[in-house]
mmCIF file of all heavy atoms in Angstrom:
data_model
loop_
_atom_site.group_PDB
_atom_site.id
_atom_site.type_symbol
_atom_site.label_atom_id
_atom_site.label_comp_id
_atom_site.label_asym_id
_atom_site.label_seq_id
_atom_site.Cartn_x
_atom_site.Cartn_y
_atom_site.Cartn_z
ATOM 1 N N LEU A 115 6.981 4.098 -5.247
ATOM 2 C CA LEU A 115 5.908 3.166 -4.889
ATOM 3 C C LEU A 115 5.537 3.292 -3.415
ATOM 4 O O LEU A 115 4.353 3.208 -3.056
ATOM 5 C CB LEU A 115 6.343 1.732 -5.203
ATOM 6 C CG LEU A 115 6.469 1.396 -6.694
ATOM 7 C CD1 LEU A 115 7.005 -0.026 -6.880
ATOM 8 C CD2 LEU A 115 5.124 1.548 -7.404
ATOM 9 N N LEU A 116 6.541 3.497 -2.563
ATOM 10 C CA LEU A 116 6.258 3.714 -1.139
ATOM 11 C C LEU A 116 5.424 4.973 -0.931
ATOM 12 O O LEU A 116 4.475 4.987 -0.138
ATOM 13 C CB LEU A 116 7.564 3.820 -0.346
ATOM 14 C CG LEU A 116 8.280 2.512 0.006
ATOM 15 C CD1 LEU A 116 9.614 2.818 0.673
ATOM 16 C CD2 LEU A 116 7.420 1.653 0.920
ATOM 17 N N PHE A 117 5.788 6.028 -1.663
ATOM 18 C CA PHE A 117 5.037 7.278 -1.541
ATOM 19 C C PHE A 117 3.591 7.084 -1.989
ATOM 20 O O PHE A 117 2.655 7.498 -1.291
ATOM 21 C CB PHE A 117 5.709 8.364 -2.384
ATOM 22 C CG PHE A 117 4.919 9.642 -2.441
ATOM 23 C CD1 PHE A 117 4.898 10.504 -1.357
ATOM 24 C CD2 PHE A 117 4.191 9.965 -3.571
ATOM 25 C CE1 PHE A 117 4.150 11.684 -1.399
ATOM 26 C CE2 PHE A 117 3.445 11.132 -3.621
ATOM 27 C CZ PHE A 117 3.430 11.991 -2.536
ATOM 28 N N LEU A 118 3.397 6.459 -3.142
ATOM 29 C CA LEU A 118 2.047 6.249 -3.650
ATOM 30 C C LEU A 118 1.237 5.348 -2.720
ATOM 31 O O LEU A 118 0.043 5.598 -2.476
ATOM 32 C CB LEU A 118 2.111 5.632 -5.055
ATOM 33 C CG LEU A 118 2.647 6.543 -6.166
ATOM 34 C CD1 LEU A 118 2.740 5.776 -7.478
ATOM 35 C CD2 LEU A 118 1.758 7.766 -6.325
ATOM 36 N N ALA A 119 1.879 4.318 -2.190
ATOM 37 C CA ALA A 119 1.189 3.423 -1.263
ATOM 38 C C ALA A 119 0.762 4.179 -0.014
ATOM 39 O O ALA A 119 -0.371 4.019 0.478
ATOM 40 C CB ALA A 119 2.097 2.249 -0.892
ATOM 41 N N GLY A 120 1.661 5.013 0.502
ATOM 42 C CA GLY A 120 1.332 5.789 1.691
ATOM 43 C C GLY A 120 0.174 6.737 1.468
ATOM 44 O O GLY A 120 -0.727 6.857 2.307
ATOM 45 N N VAL A 121 0.168 7.414 0.320
ATOM 46 C CA VAL A 121 -0.922 8.347 0.002
ATOM 47 C C VAL A 121 -2.249 7.597 -0.121
ATOM 48 O O VAL A 121 -3.284 8.042 0.398
ATOM 49 C CB VAL A 121 -0.611 9.112 -1.299
ATOM 50 C CG1 VAL A 121 -1.830 9.912 -1.751
ATOM 51 C CG2 VAL A 121 0.579 10.041 -1.092
ATOM 52 N N CYS A 122 -2.231 6.455 -0.809
ATOM 53 C CA CYS A 122 -3.457 5.667 -0.973
ATOM 54 C C CYS A 122 -3.998 5.197 0.375
ATOM 55 O O CYS A 122 -5.208 5.234 0.615
ATOM 56 C CB CYS A 122 -3.193 4.462 -1.875
ATOM 57 S SG CYS A 122 -2.957 4.879 -3.615
ATOM 58 N N ILE A 123 -3.107 4.761 1.256
ATOM 59 C CA ILE A 123 -3.533 4.281 2.570
ATOM 60 C C ILE A 123 -4.078 5.429 3.412
ATOM 61 O O ILE A 123 -5.139 5.309 4.029
ATOM 62 C CB ILE A 123 -2.358 3.593 3.293
ATOM 63 C CG1 ILE A 123 -2.016 2.280 2.586
ATOM 64 C CG2 ILE A 123 -2.698 3.324 4.757
ATOM 65 C CD1 ILE A 123 -0.755 1.609 3.096
ATOM 66 N N ALA A 124 -3.364 6.547 3.438
ATOM 67 C CA ALA A 124 -3.804 7.688 4.238
ATOM 68 C C ALA A 124 -5.123 8.259 3.732
ATOM 69 O O ALA A 124 -5.986 8.660 4.520
ATOM 70 C CB ALA A 124 -2.731 8.773 4.244
ATOM 71 N N ALA A 125 -5.276 8.295 2.404
ATOM 72 C CA ALA A 125 -6.488 8.850 1.812
ATOM 73 C C ALA A 125 -7.604 7.820 1.689
ATOM 74 O O ALA A 125 -8.698 8.141 1.226
ATOM 75 C CB ALA A 125 -6.168 9.428 0.438
ATOM 76 N N ASP A 126 -7.312 6.582 2.084
ATOM 77 C CA ASP A 126 -8.299 5.496 2.014
ATOM 78 C C ASP A 126 -8.786 5.266 0.592
ATOM 79 O O ASP A 126 -9.987 5.142 0.333
ATOM 80 C CB ASP A 126 -9.482 5.785 2.931
ATOM 81 C CG ASP A 126 -10.233 4.502 3.310
ATOM 82 O OD1 ASP A 126 -9.699 3.404 3.043
ATOM 83 O OD2 ASP A 126 -11.347 4.600 3.852
ATOM 84 N N ARG A 127 -7.839 5.202 -0.338
ATOM 85 C CA ARG A 127 -8.143 4.933 -1.744
ATOM 86 C C ARG A 127 -7.487 3.608 -2.130
ATOM 87 O O ARG A 127 -6.283 3.478 -2.074
ATOM 88 C CB ARG A 127 -7.616 6.059 -2.642
ATOM 89 C CG ARG A 127 -8.263 7.417 -2.398
ATOM 90 C CD ARG A 127 -9.723 7.413 -2.842
ATOM 91 N NE ARG A 127 -10.333 8.731 -2.717
ATOM 92 C CZ ARG A 127 -10.977 9.147 -1.629
ATOM 93 N NH1 ARG A 127 -11.070 8.346 -0.569
ATOM 94 N NH2 ARG A 127 -11.518 10.347 -1.581
ATOM 95 N N LYS A 128 -8.306 2.631 -2.493
ATOM 96 C CA LYS A 128 -7.795 1.292 -2.831
ATOM 97 C C LYS A 128 -6.953 0.733 -1.692
ATOM 98 O O LYS A 128 -5.975 0.009 -1.912
ATOM 99 C CB LYS A 128 -6.951 1.349 -4.115
ATOM 100 C CG LYS A 128 -7.662 1.916 -5.316
ATOM 101 C CD LYS A 128 -8.758 1.000 -5.822
ATOM 102 C CE LYS A 128 -9.402 1.548 -7.086
ATOM 103 N NZ LYS A 128 -10.489 0.684 -7.590
ATOM 104 N N ARG A 129 -7.350 1.069 -0.470
ATOM 105 C CA ARG A 129 -6.539 0.717 0.699
ATOM 106 C C ARG A 129 -6.330 -0.785 0.840
ATOM 107 O O ARG A 129 -5.225 -1.235 1.158
ATOM 108 C CB ARG A 129 -7.200 1.263 1.965
ATOM 109 C CG ARG A 129 -6.576 0.761 3.265
ATOM 110 C CD ARG A 129 -7.208 1.429 4.455
ATOM 111 N NE ARG A 129 -8.640 1.297 4.479
ATOM 112 C CZ ARG A 129 -9.278 0.268 5.034
ATOM 113 N NH1 ARG A 129 -8.594 -0.715 5.583
ATOM 114 N NH2 ARG A 129 -10.595 0.227 5.049
ATOM 115 N N ALA A 130 -7.369 -1.580 0.629
ATOM 116 C CA ALA A 130 -7.267 -3.024 0.850
ATOM 117 C C ALA A 130 -6.211 -3.656 -0.050
ATOM 118 O O ALA A 130 -5.354 -4.425 0.408
ATOM 119 C CB ALA A 130 -8.625 -3.677 0.620
ATOM 120 N N VAL A 131 -6.250 -3.309 -1.329
ATOM 121 C CA VAL A 131 -5.300 -3.892 -2.282
ATOM 122 C C VAL A 131 -3.897 -3.363 -2.048
ATOM 123 O O VAL A 131 -2.921 -4.129 -2.015
ATOM 124 C CB VAL A 131 -5.742 -3.589 -3.731
ATOM 125 C CG1 VAL A 131 -4.694 -4.089 -4.720
ATOM 126 C CG2 VAL A 131 -7.091 -4.219 -4.025
ATOM 127 N N VAL A 132 -3.790 -2.047 -1.868
ATOM 128 C CA VAL A 132 -2.475 -1.416 -1.677
ATOM 129 C C VAL A 132 -1.805 -1.935 -0.405
ATOM 130 O O VAL A 132 -0.615 -2.259 -0.397
ATOM 131 C CB VAL A 132 -2.615 0.115 -1.626
ATOM 132 C CG1 VAL A 132 -1.286 0.757 -1.215
ATOM 133 C CG2 VAL A 132 -3.062 0.649 -2.972
ATOM 134 N N SER A 133 -2.574 -2.036 0.675
ATOM 135 C CA SER A 133 -2.008 -2.520 1.942
ATOM 136 C C SER A 133 -1.545 -3.962 1.823
ATOM 137 O O SER A 133 -0.492 -4.327 2.355
ATOM 138 C CB SER A 133 -3.055 -2.399 3.058
ATOM 139 O OG SER A 133 -3.405 -1.061 3.273
ATOM 140 N N LEU A 134 -2.315 -4.766 1.122
ATOM 141 C CA LEU A 134 -1.938 -6.168 0.941
ATOM 142 C C LEU A 134 -0.643 -6.283 0.144
ATOM 143 O O LEU A 134 0.273 -7.028 0.525
ATOM 144 C CB LEU A 134 -3.063 -6.926 0.241
ATOM 145 C CG LEU A 134 -2.821 -8.413 -0.018
ATOM 146 C CD1 LEU A 134 -2.600 -9.158 1.293
ATOM 147 C CD2 LEU A 134 -3.978 -9.021 -0.797
ATOM 148 N N LEU A 135 -0.556 -5.539 -0.961
ATOM 149 C CA LEU A 135 0.654 -5.583 -1.791
ATOM 150 C C LEU A 135 1.864 -5.051 -1.030
ATOM 151 O O LEU A 135 2.965 -5.615 -1.124
ATOM 152 C CB LEU A 135 0.433 -4.769 -3.064
ATOM 153 C CG LEU A 135 -0.587 -5.333 -4.057
ATOM 154 C CD1 LEU A 135 -0.757 -4.379 -5.227
ATOM 155 C CD2 LEU A 135 -0.167 -6.715 -4.550
ATOM 156 N N LEU A 136 1.666 -3.980 -0.272
ATOM 157 C CA LEU A 136 2.765 -3.415 0.518
ATOM 158 C C LEU A 136 3.229 -4.406 1.577
ATOM 159 O O LEU A 136 4.442 -4.601 1.773
ATOM 160 C CB LEU A 136 2.314 -2.111 1.182
ATOM 161 C CG LEU A 136 3.341 -1.423 2.094
ATOM 162 C CD1 LEU A 136 4.583 -1.032 1.310
ATOM 163 C CD2 LEU A 136 2.718 -0.200 2.754
ATOM 164 N N GLY A 137 2.286 -5.035 2.251
ATOM 165 C CA GLY A 137 2.640 -6.020 3.275
ATOM 166 C C GLY A 137 3.407 -7.195 2.697
ATOM 167 O O GLY A 137 4.401 -7.653 3.285
ATOM 168 N N VAL A 138 2.964 -7.676 1.538
ATOM 169 C CA VAL A 138 3.662 -8.797 0.880
ATOM 170 C C VAL A 138 5.079 -8.386 0.490
ATOM 171 O O VAL A 138 6.034 -9.142 0.695
ATOM 172 C CB VAL A 138 2.878 -9.264 -0.364
ATOM 173 C CG1 VAL A 138 3.703 -10.238 -1.193
ATOM 174 C CG2 VAL A 138 1.563 -9.924 0.050
ATOM 175 N N ALA A 139 5.233 -7.171 -0.061
ATOM 176 C CA ALA A 139 6.559 -6.699 -0.470
ATOM 177 C C ALA A 139 7.504 -6.588 0.730
ATOM 178 O O ALA A 139 8.658 -7.041 0.672
ATOM 179 C CB ALA A 139 6.430 -5.342 -1.160
ATOM 180 N N LEU A 140 7.017 -6.022 1.822
ATOM 181 C CA LEU A 140 7.853 -5.878 3.018
ATOM 182 C C LEU A 140 8.194 -7.233 3.626
ATOM 183 O O LEU A 140 9.317 -7.451 4.099
ATOM 184 C CB LEU A 140 7.124 -5.009 4.047
ATOM 185 C CG LEU A 140 6.934 -3.536 3.657
ATOM 186 C CD1 LEU A 140 6.028 -2.826 4.649
ATOM 187 C CD2 LEU A 140 8.277 -2.825 3.570
ATOM 188 N N LEU A 141 7.230 -8.143 3.604
ATOM 189 C CA LEU A 141 7.476 -9.480 4.144
ATOM 190 C C LEU A 141 8.511 -10.221 3.295
ATOM 191 O O LEU A 141 9.351 -10.955 3.829
ATOM 192 C CB LEU A 141 6.167 -10.267 4.209
ATOM 193 C CG LEU A 141 6.238 -11.647 4.864
ATOM 194 C CD1 LEU A 141 6.702 -11.529 6.320
ATOM 195 C CD2 LEU A 141 4.867 -12.337 4.804
ATOM 196 N N LEU A 142 8.462 -10.029 1.972
ATOM 197 C CA LEU A 142 9.440 -10.664 1.090
ATOM 198 C C LEU A 142 10.846 -10.123 1.350
ATOM 199 O O LEU A 142 11.822 -10.883 1.339
ATOM 200 C CB LEU A 142 9.051 -10.443 -0.372
ATOM 201 C CG LEU A 142 7.880 -11.278 -0.895
ATOM 202 C CD1 LEU A 142 7.533 -10.877 -2.327
ATOM 203 C CD2 LEU A 142 8.206 -12.777 -0.832
ATOM 204 N N VAL A 143 10.940 -8.815 1.590
ATOM 205 C CA VAL A 143 12.252 -8.230 1.910
ATOM 206 C C VAL A 143 12.786 -8.836 3.209
ATOM 207 O O VAL A 143 13.972 -9.153 3.319
ATOM 208 C CB VAL A 143 12.150 -6.699 2.048
ATOM 209 C CG1 VAL A 143 13.465 -6.118 2.571
ATOM 210 C CG2 VAL A 143 11.803 -6.070 0.712
#
């Protein structure tokens, strides 16, 4: 999931949703 999130963010694909979900997951940890 980290790899896919990174690729989506770098490639600017679904960045808004992916970044939000990643941020929430990291904040929860």
Side-chain angles (χ1 to χ4, degrees):
L115 291 176
L116 281 175
F117 174 76
L118 291 176
V121 171
C122 288
I123 291 172
D126 202 12
R127 296 291 185 269
K128 303 291 184 181
R129 170 175 54 88
V131 175
V132 171
S133 297
L134 180 60
L135 292 177
L136 178 61
V138 170
L140 293 172
L141 185 60
L142 285 176
V143 172

